[in-house]
Amino acid sequence: DVGFRRLIEHIEPRYSLPSRRHLADVCLPELYNVVANHIHELLATDITAISFTTDIWSSDCKHH
């Protein structure tokens, strides 16, 4: 939002915030690859059990 942009501009005027497009096209895929590789490395070890959990109380899907 405008307030955040003003804050960043005040704190460090030389910093240029990345665009939404850059975040979606570059940053998120890079982060996904790092996490996916880490998970693959963990799964390649001798795992005896895996547990998954979810929290539907904070999900927006519960209202639909």
Side-chain angles (χ1 to χ4, degrees):
D1 285 346
V2 175
F4 180 74
R5 291 180 184 274
R6 286 182 185 162
L7 174 66
I8 296 301
E9 186 176 313
H10 179 71
I11 293 173
E12 180 52 77
R14 297 171 293 175
Y15 181 72
S16 175
L17 285 171
S19 68
R20 286 180 188 230
R21 194 51 141 177
H22 178 76
L23 291 173
D25 292 345
V26 177
C27 297
L28 287 178
E30 286 178 3
L31 180 59
Y32 172 85
N33 288 332
V34 167
V35 172
N37 287 335
H38 181 67
I39 297 297
H40 286 288
E41 289 172 5
L42 291 174
L43 293 174
T45 62
D46 189 22
I47 295 177
T48 59
I50 296 177
S51 176
F52 293 95
T53 62
T54 185
D55 178 4
I56 62 170
W57 294 105
S58 62
S59 172
D60 289 339
C61 297
K62 69 178 181 194
H63 299 292
H64 300 285

